[in-house]
Amino acid sequence: MAGVGLASAAWPFIDQMNPSSAALALASIEVDISSIQPGQQVVYKWRGHPLFVRRRTPKEIAESKAVDVNSLPDPLAENANLPAGAPATDANRATKPEWLVLIGVCTHLGCTPTVSTPQMPEGDYGGWLCHCHGSQYDTAGRIRKGPAPRNLDVPPYTFTSATKIKVG
Amino acid sequence: MSGPSTYNPKSGFEKWIDTRLPLPRLLHDTVHTFPTPRNLNIWYTFGGILTFCLGVQIVTGIVLAMHYVANAGLAFDSVEAIMRDVNYGWLIRYIHSNGASMFFLAVYIHMFRGLYYGSYKAPRELIWIIGVLIYLLMMATAFFGYVLPWGQMSFWGATVITNLFSAIPVVGGHIATWLWGDFAVGDATLNRFFSLHYLLPFIIAGVVGLHIWALHVPGNNNPLGIDVKSPQDTVPFHPYYTVKDAFYLVLFVILFAVFVFYAPNFFGNPDNYQPANPLVTPPDIVPEWYLLPFYAMLRSIPSKLMGVIVMAGAIVTLVFIPWLDTSRVRSCRFRPLMKQFFWGLLVCCILLGYCGSQSVDAAAFGIIPLVWVARLATIYYFAFFYLIMPIVGLIETPRKLPASIAQSVLGDTAAASSSLPAE
Amino acid sequence: MRLNKTALGLALGLMASTALVSAASAQETTNTTRLHPKDVAFSFEGPFGTYDRGALQRGFQVYKEVCAACHSAQHLAFHNLMEAGGPEFSEAQARALAASVKVPAGPDDKGNTTDEKGNPLMRPATLADHFPSPFPNEEAARANNGGALPPDLSMIVKAREGGAEYVYSILTGFHMTPPKGFKVIDGKYYNPYFEGWNISMPPPLANNSVTYSDGTKATIDQEAHDVVTFLAWASEPKMEERKRVGMGVLVFLIALAGMLFAAYRRVWKDQH
């Protein structure tokens, strides 16, 4: 009886530390992708993290599809929209191949990787280079080289129209 | 040594208070007449220095809290307003920030003193364990405090360290969210860190009270590591140690003042003068110097979870020291073999601190990766406590102990004639 | 005897770690490609250093006429310009400097914050106002500067490794020839004192960018020296007071230490 009373009394004090309703309201954002050009990345803020939305060129898509998934340091899709064990094929990383939606947080120690463009290449795989400790990601955001253990995470998202993505 | 009280209230007023709240009696017994070994050296003054540091941090901290605003959009500017507009705000802020460094400098000296002279050995095990608890509380307080200015290093240091909790399997992510109050370090995190940063120093003060109370049961250890055998071995705390502690305290404060007035940002990181930006990561994220050795241990282990376990283990190990050391002799003055390993531990901690301050891929002389230096130093650290302490205690031949403290101090005229008292 | 062995052990240990430390830092340049900042003498260096008033006033002129077009200095307020330890303009001069700058005005009596054309209402600044930013927000700043954000300069000297010497080296580090094979990115400029050697800021200073009212010859070095002195003050306006109070505190503490040492020897005299 006393235990139940104590636990019930304690719970509000513990739960108050969990995200408030104000924080939860920001948990979802809708982004307009209509003005993003092929080869361009736009960075948004989602749940306090950078969100990368990249419109891939056909060359970047082809490069990504040509990679043998079994040769990857992390062969899992790391896609919140798919079941846990899904492999890191290009289709499992970008449901619409032209659009890559990633959480821009390096899976090593949390730095923000720099995007690679033809004018300013970063890393050897055409994707991203994390300047903190040298992790390199490819054009599907998969880790290829360096200390990061996992591919860049794909957040839960859906296309609410041809030009709008809802994330979270 | 705790014994019957020697307080004798003379005036009517003293007697009136004594029968109602025996605080003067307590002070008299613990600070005035307390029998203290006569051979305590400079390394024994740091307990008093630490109490001074705690007082300084609390006073300057409360004053800063009159002007600081714990809101992610206003915190950085409120600190700058303290530095520029608040009368003597610059002074109070610099005392507080440098005071934290001085506090840790003193605590490390205090801890190494305890290791060298065997102050953790029976019957003082609990004093040592309470001390480890104080150390843990200090580290938590300092970590929360560093986040408050909401600079780049504040934010990213908080991000890296709180992210460690997500390494815990299954519940890690939920614990991290619960700690943050959001999906990443943000305003909710800042506010609660301020609340805890204000709370913990008072908890520390209470635990320090327990620490001193536990100390006053057996009384102080001393550099010879031998027990007090007669009143000739001790002197009353006042005036002998009040004046000695005061003198060394002033020397410590002189060092403190040199930093505050002439190198106030020596211990700091320039990146923390940039406002926090969740979208831009600084190239090198480093904690304050006093946390660097543990940071080095954390980064030297390839696996995130194992790194956390090793780092936590390094601190938890300290609790077991009274039982890991098998020697019957307390002080390293009489333990020629252990003494060498002690210096090795000191060097290893300094090396770890250095490794923690550098980039993960830095290399000594261009060829020895520092991550390997950190790994070797981490191995030595654990080997010191789990292998060297138990084994050396059993195989070592200690030097002959003097018959008593009094005999060692008063009989040794060569040491007495040096400018400082017996070491 | 005991003291010597302890001291020897400690010294050896410290020497070993110091050797490793200095060797490692000498080799540590693998991470920073930028050149080490130039070794420049400033009047405010050292425990007795102060800010040169002339340099502060000239430096403020350089900030106002050159840097303020892109760089904010939002922690500085106009009243700081007349306070002790800084440029020490007279109150009248500081008021005039403030009044020459426009800041957003509050709502008028009808509650409007914009005029008929839709432009924000502005008013002359007063001593209480902080230096206004050249851009209303980060996005506007980036749009006007090729995507790069000109950092706020209030704390720049404290916010960069290398401090005043670093900022001086950047300002005087343009006009150098890039090494063979180094590609200067389009739209950026070569500056070997900046990490990566590609800096987004165009060379801000030229000979006679400003005309100093005290007649000093305005070479790039002079302008850089003056504006860096001003920016050092902007980062640490209380520096002179700090060093002055520090001297008093240290003298007092040393005297106190002396007295306590005498007391200590007296108390312990018969215990040896």
Side-chain angles (χ1 to χ4, degrees), chain C residues 94-106:
Chain C
R95 281 190 195 280
L97 285 167
S100 70
V101 167
K102 293 262 186 290
V103 291

Side-chain angles (χ1 to χ4, degrees), chain B residues 41 43-44 113-119 221-223 330-331 333:
Chain B
N41 58 27
W43 309 113
Y44 281 80
R113 180 280 309 256
L115 282 177
Y116 189 83
Y117 293 118
S119 310
N221 189 19
N222 66 87
R330 284 196 187 111
S331 170
R333 268 212 207 155

Side-chain angles (χ1 to χ4, degrees), chain A residues 13-20 23-24 26-27 43-45 47-51 107-112 131-134, chain B residues 155-156 159-160 163-164 174 177-184 192 278-285 295 299 304 359-361:
Chain A
F13 288 93
I14 294 171
D15 193 33
Q16 57 83 18
M17 273 175 67
N18 275 320
S20 67
L24 291 173
L26 282 171
V43 183
Y44 302 93
K45 201 160 159 204
R47 293 192 180 176
H49 295 304
L51 181 81
T107 56
H108 177 229
L109 284 177
C111 299
T112 309
H131 282 273
C132 285
H133 310 103
Chain B
F155 179 89
W156 287 99
T159 300
V160 168
N163 260 314
L164 294 178
H174 296 286
T177 308
W178 177 75
L179 285 173
W180 290 328
D182 203 330
F183 298 103
R192 63 192 55 183
L279 301 177
V280 173
T281 319
D284 279 303
I285 303 172
Y295 195 57
R299 293 193 311 184
K304 194 161 153 183
S359 263
V360 157
D361 28 7

Side-chain angles (χ1 to χ4, degrees), chain B residues 116 339 343 423, chain C residues 1-11:
Chain B
Y116 189 83
K339 190 192 284 198
W343 294 122
E423 207 215 329
Chain C
M1 174 82 147
R2 230 177 279 133
L3 183 61
N4 285 342
K5 274 194 187 161
T6 313
L8 185 62
L10 185 58

Side-chain angles (χ1 to χ4, degrees), chain B residues 38 84 94 261 359 365 421, chain C residues 23 31 234 236 242 264 268 271:
Chain B
R38 65 190 329 135
R84 292 164 190 272
Y94 277 148
F261 293 103
S359 263
F365 310 103
Chain C
N31 267 332
E236 279 274 281
R242 167 165 57 82
Y264 161 58
W268 280 83
Q271 297 303 330

Side-chain angles (χ1 to χ4, degrees), chain B residues 87-129:
Chain B
N87 301 324
Y88 293 104
W90 57 270
L91 178 62
I92 297 167
R93 194 273 176 111
Y94 277 148
I95 290 176
H96 197 74
S97 56
N98 287 286
S101 286
M102 297 304 291
F103 204 168
F104 276 91
L105 178 65
V107 93
Y108 285 135
I109 293 175
H110 188 70
M111 289 164 78
F112 274 98
R113 180 280 309 256
L115 282 177
Y116 189 83
Y117 293 118
S119 310
Y120 52 82
K121 296 173 85 55
R124 296 181 180 85
E125 306 94 320
L126 204 50
I127 304 170
W128 176 263
I129 292 172

Side-chain angles (χ1 to χ4, degrees), chain B residues 135-331:
Chain B
Y135 179 53
L136 265 168
L137 288 169
M138 277 175 65
M139 287 198 289
T141 310
F143 169 66
F144 293 142
Y146 192 63
V147 178
L148 302 183
W150 211 238
Q152 273 287 67
M153 222 32 97
S154 305
F155 179 89
W156 287 99
T159 300
V160 168
I161 298 302
T162 48
N163 260 314
L164 294 178
F165 286 90
S166 60
I168 301 170
V170 183
V171 288
H174 296 286
I175 293 180
T177 308
W178 177 75
L179 285 173
W180 290 328
D182 203 330
F183 298 103
V185 170
D187 187 54
T189 325
L190 176 60
N191 264 276
R192 63 192 55 183
F193 279 11
F194 180 55
S195 173
L196 293 173
H197 184 70
Y198 206 121
L199 166 71
L200 287 183
F202 295 100
I203 307 237
I204 291 175
V207 181
V208 166
L210 295 178
H211 192 63
I212 298 175
W213 186 3
L215 170 68
H216 279 202
V217 172
N220 299 65
N221 189 19
N222 66 87
L224 296 175
I226 59 181
D227 287 334
V228 164
K229 298 189 171 86
S230 72
Q232 275 73 43
D233 288 340
T234 65
V235 290
F237 192 81
H238 178 71
Y240 293 93
Y241 286 108
T242 42
V243 75
K244 185 166 182 168
D245 280 357
F247 171 64
Y248 282 108
L249 175 63
V250 172
L251 291 188
F252 180 83
V253 173
I254 288 173
L255 179 65
F256 191 179
V258 167
F259 282 115
V260 167
F261 293 103
Y262 295 102
N265 294 298
F266 176 80
F267 292 112
N269 189 306
D271 279 342
N272 226 30
Y273 279 110
Q274 286 182 61
N277 188 339
L279 301 177
V280 173
T281 319
D284 279 303
I285 303 172
V286 272
E288 285 286 88
W289 70 268
Y290 38 80
L291 301 178
L292 287 175
F294 300 106
Y295 195 57
M297 286 188 197
L298 174 73
R299 293 193 311 184
S300 68
I301 313 286
S303 146
K304 194 161 153 183
L305 181 60
M306 283 311 296
V308 173
I309 291 174
V310 164
M311 186 179 74
I315 305 168
V316 169
T317 294
L318 299 174
V319 169
F320 305 127
I321 289 174
W323 294 277
L324 291 169
D325 185 6
T326 52
S327 166
R328 304 179 135 240
V329 172
R330 284 196 187 111
S331 170

